[in-house]
Amino acid sequence: MAEQFDLSHFEKSMIIREMNYADIDAILEMQRLCFPGMDPWKEEQLRSHLGVFPQGQMVAELDGTVIGSCSSLLINFDEYDDRHTWDDVTDAGYITNHNPDGYNMYGIEVMVHPEYRRMKVGQRLYEARKELARELNLKSIIIGGRIPNYHKHADEMSPREYVDSVSRHKIYDPVLTFQLMNGFQLMRINPNYLQDDLASGKYATLMEWNNVDYKPISKRHFKTSLPVRICVVQYLMRAIKSFDDLASQVEYFVDVASDAHSDFVVFPEIFTTQLMSFLNEPSPSQAVRKLTEYTPQYIELFTDLAVRYNVNIIGGSHFVKEEDDEIYNIAYLFRRDGSIDKQYKIHITPNERKWWGISAGDSVRVFDTDCGKIAIQICYDIEFPELARIATDMGANIIFTPFCTEDRQGYLRVRYCAQARAVENQIYTVISGTVGNLPQTENMDIQYAQSGIFAPSDFEFARDGIVGETNANLEMVLIGDVDLEILRRQRQNGTVKQLKDRRHDVYRVEYKKD
């Protein structure tokens, strides 16, 4: 029997999905409609949400049109002051304080386009949040809810009396009533929560939904630790006769790092120029081109060592000729699972241009490892604070800096800047340099280094912000532990909080490759 109607013409598609960058303009416009008189999101805040915790950012879509959205992050709620504000818990809307191991989801906004209300869009978004909380085995969802009708009753009752009346269905509040109907329970009322929410008198109801499926990992509660062991190689440059000689020295240090159960071993910048000692090429620019011919052997060596010795290797840096016939100074990350990544040196020194004709890279990379996110900034690059700030905003907890300096002044520029980056960004920094000499190799004849591991300067970190340092100008290794959990806690509760206290309203660092 033939159908009279094509039902596809009548169907509608309502879905809840993860937010993406293409949704940002629609969300900004929707927020202006939903919250007139209040400061809307900035584009860079929404981009930060997607970069930090994409799972927690959701939209409701009807027939391809975004009609609702919600944003959230994960925290350990007991680390926050009882009277926290919206800015406190969201890092001023950028959620860079998101804790992937947090027990609680904190909802920071839900909105529905005015033309699509009464379609249970908000309820669908709340249910999607609850499903994510179950999936991630979170203890609860917490929200700081507005009470937008309070201004109509502020002259006759206190916020507590208003909330009590709404809870007993004597007064209707579009936000609080909705939250109560969706299973959230009142914890307390926070004053001065959102400064531009005049309709709520700046008050917010702190509400919680408990996940009854939550499975506690342990009945005991500890201050956790996430240690990472780093082996820094201070490498002696000396004449060798073959690539095998270099490979033998490198394997020795990787073996030392592995025996110490290191998670990372880091070599210095362009230490492979040691190969020039037997290339017999007097012209520096031609010697570099001959050096690049060893790139396949270099990569094969370090990949094999990383897997065989079960340690992540920052392979110093090496001059590489690429398809454009340009030569770049590249640091490779050789992971112990056999995968490889690379970071181009972005700022080329005058000497590198003059003697070797090195070309500059143009992107800041942050790499996932089995010990969290790291970045590599080669020598001169650590002297530009913007790069470290960009890497930190991308999630890096450790910045490795292979370096090569010929005198104490050059070395101190690298060292002081690495220590400054650790303080400014509340991260760990690691510098690894070359010592010794190559008398017959032009522009690599002398070396000066004192390698080290540096931390932010606060009580829970090493004294003077120095985890460890080598002796100057001696070939040796430095092995030290850094704790990523202490780093996370100090970003939240330290004596000073450089990341949280940045004045986003006054200045910003813009990464043009974003």
Side-chain angles (χ1 to χ4, degrees):
M1 183 173 63
E3 292 185 2
Q4 184 176 359
F5 298 104
D6 181 359
L7 298 181
S8 65
H9 292 304
F10 299 88
E11 290 177 334
K12 292 184 178 294
S13 173
M14 167 79 80
I15 60 171
I16 305 297
R17 60 168 174 81
E18 279 189 22
M19 187 187 301
N20 60 53
Y21 291 101
D23 299 323
I24 288 177
D25 287 343
I27 291 168
L28 293 175
E29 178 58 31
M30 183 166 57
Q31 193 179 47
R32 283 187 280 269
L33 294 172
C34 290
F35 307 120
M38 295 179 65
D39 294 335
W41 289 119
K42 300 183 181 73
E43 180 177 343
E44 58 263 34
Q45 289 172 320
L46 292 177
R47 287 184 172 274
S48 181
H49 297 180
L50 292 172
V52 171
F53 183 39
Q55 284 176 284
Q57 323 313 316
M58 304 175 187
V59 297
E61 183 183 276
L62 178 64
D63 292 336
T65 299
V66 173
I67 63 171
S69 73
C70 66
S71 300
S72 59
L73 71 157
L74 303 186
I75 61 172
N76 285 332
F77 185 68
D78 57 6
E79 295 178 0
Y80 288 78
D81 184 88
D82 285 352
R83 297 297 175 181
H84 68 269
T85 67
W86 186 87
D87 277 348
D88 291 335
V89 85
T90 68
D91 189 23
Y94 288 83
I95 73 166
T96 50
N97 57 318
H98 165 75
N99 176 7
D101 298 318
Y103 297 122
N104 312 100
M105 181 185 296
Y106 198 105
I108 57 176
E109 183 172 85
V110 172
M111 60 179 169
V112 178
H113 194 291
E115 295 180 12
Y116 297 91
R117 290 173 182 168
R118 306 291 180 184
M119 295 176 63
K120 299 189 182 300
V121 177
Q123 184 175 339
R124 287 181 167 94
L125 290 167
Y126 267 55
E127 288 302 318
R129 266 185 183 165
K130 292 175 183 177
E131 189 57 38
L132 180 60
R134 296 185 187 101
E135 178 185 328
L136 298 178
N137 190 36
L138 302 179
K139 187 176 182 180
S140 69
I141 301 175
I142 297 171
I143 52 179
R146 301 176 62 231
I147 43 176
N149 279 358
Y150 176 60
H151 69 283
K152 300 177 181 179
H153 305 270
D155 292 339
E156 57 196 52
M157 59 179 67
S158 68
R160 184 191 59 76
E161 291 169 333
Y162 174 82
V163 169
D164 182 63
S165 294
V166 173
S167 300
R168 295 162 61 188
H169 303 289
K170 292 184 175 182
I171 297 174
Y172 173 79
D173 185 278
V175 176
L176 179 56
T177 300
F178 173 77
Q179 291 165 346
L180 291 169
M181 295 295 290
N182 276 276
F184 283 78
Q185 297 179 340
L186 179 68
M187 299 169 68
R188 57 178 173 269
I189 301 171
N190 280 19
N192 299 311
Y193 184 77
L194 198 56
Q195 292 302 308
D196 59 352
D197 187 8
L198 302 181
S200 303
K202 303 181 184 179
Y203 290 98
T205 53
L206 205 64
M207 312 283 287
E208 184 173 30
W209 171 84
N210 290 291
N211 177 15
V212 298
D213 296 322
Y214 171 66
K215 297 178 178 64
I217 297 173
S218 171
K219 293 183 179 179
R220 294 185 177 184
H221 296 277
F222 302 93
K223 278 193 171 181
T224 56
S225 177
L226 184 53
V228 175
R229 180 159 294 174
I230 299 168
C231 177
V232 181
V233 177
Q234 186 157 285
Y235 189 93
L236 180 68
M237 301 291 273
R238 51 190 176 268
I240 56 176
K241 296 180 180 180
S242 68
F243 184 87
D244 288 343
D245 287 347
L246 179 138
S248 178
Q249 290 176 232
V250 166
E251 183 167 6
Y252 164 75
F253 287 116
V254 174
D255 189 14
V256 169
S258 179
D259 284 346
H261 305 290
S262 301
D263 296 296
F264 292 96
V265 55
V266 54
F267 286 84
E269 179 189 25
I270 57 171
F271 79 102
T272 56
T273 52
Q274 187 180 29
L275 298 171
M276 292 180 180
S277 64
F278 66 81
L279 292 180
N280 298 318
E281 174 53 66
S283 166
S285 61
Q286 293 306 306
V288 163
R289 290 197 169 265
K290 282 188 176 181
L291 177 64
T292 65
E293 295 173 8
Y294 287 89
T295 300
Q297 288 171 262
Y298 161 83
I299 293 174
E300 184 177 5
L301 169 67
F302 276 98
T303 303
D304 174 66
L305 293 176
V307 174
R308 187 149 49 90
Y309 285 94
N310 191 32
V311 61
N312 300 303
I313 303 176
I314 312 297
S317 76
H318 177 66
F319 289 136
V320 180
K321 185 174 75 170
E322 298 209 329
E323 292 179 357
D324 57 5
D325 202 41
E326 298 293 322
I327 297 177
Y328 298 90
N329 189 348
I330 300 177
Y332 288 87
L333 165 63
F334 300 92
R335 297 184 185 86
R336 50 185 155 198
D337 65 3
S339 60
I340 307 171
D341 262 309
K342 61 183 178 179
Q343 171 66 60
Y344 292 75
K345 189 172 184 178
I346 294 173
H347 297 91
I348 304 304
T349 64
N351 261 358
E352 286 176 288
R353 288 196 188 93
K354 174 183 175 182
W355 293 97
W356 297 320
I358 304 303
S359 298
D362 62 3
S363 64
V364 178
R365 301 285 310 282
V366 168
F367 307 109
D368 287 309
T369 73
D370 53 12
C371 297
K373 292 181 182 292
I374 67 156
I376 306 172
Q377 297 186 353
I378 306 169
C379 197
Y380 196 24
D381 284 345
I382 199 66
E383 298 177 27
F384 296 83
E386 299 88 349
L387 296 191
R389 179 53 52 84
I390 291 165
T392 302
D393 282 344
M394 289 179 174
N397 293 312
I398 307 172
I399 295 179
F400 292 94
T401 298
F403 74 93
C404 173
T405 51
E406 63 183 21
D407 52 49
R408 191 168 187 270
Q409 287 79 6
Y411 156 70
L412 288 176
R413 287 194 294 269
V414 172
R415 181 198 178 102
Y416 290 156
C417 288
Q419 290 188 265
R421 302 301 87 86
V423 171
E424 294 162 354
N425 297 288
Q426 295 181 283
I427 56 172
Y428 296 109
T429 56
V430 181
I431 63 172
S432 171
T434 50
V435 297
N437 58 77
L438 292 174
Q440 306 306 318
T441 303
E442 194 78 34
N443 200 43
M444 286 298 293
D445 45 352
I446 58 173
Q447 314 286 301
Y448 188 104
Q450 185 177 15
S451 306
I453 304 172
F454 308 118
S457 185
D458 211 338
F459 293 112
E460 287 201 52
F461 297 106
R463 183 175 182 265
D464 301 327
I466 302 171
V467 177
E469 58 187 337
T470 63
N471 295 325
N473 295 330
L474 294 177
E475 183 171 58
M476 61 184 297
V477 300
L478 162 67
I479 299 175
D481 288 349
V482 298
D483 194 322
L484 302 186
E485 177 61 19
I486 291 177
L487 194 71
R488 188 194 64 78
R489 288 202 301 264
Q490 288 300 102
R491 285 177 173 180
Q492 182 61 40
N493 298 309
T495 304
V496 290
K497 307 165 190 174
Q498 289 89 347
L499 290 181
K500 288 175 64 68
D501 291 341
R502 286 178 291 171
R503 289 289 305 277
H504 294 291
D505 58 323
V506 176
Y507 59 84
R508 67 176 179 175
V509 175
E510 181 180 0
Y511 179 43
K512 293 189 175 182
K513 300 281 285 189
D514 196 7

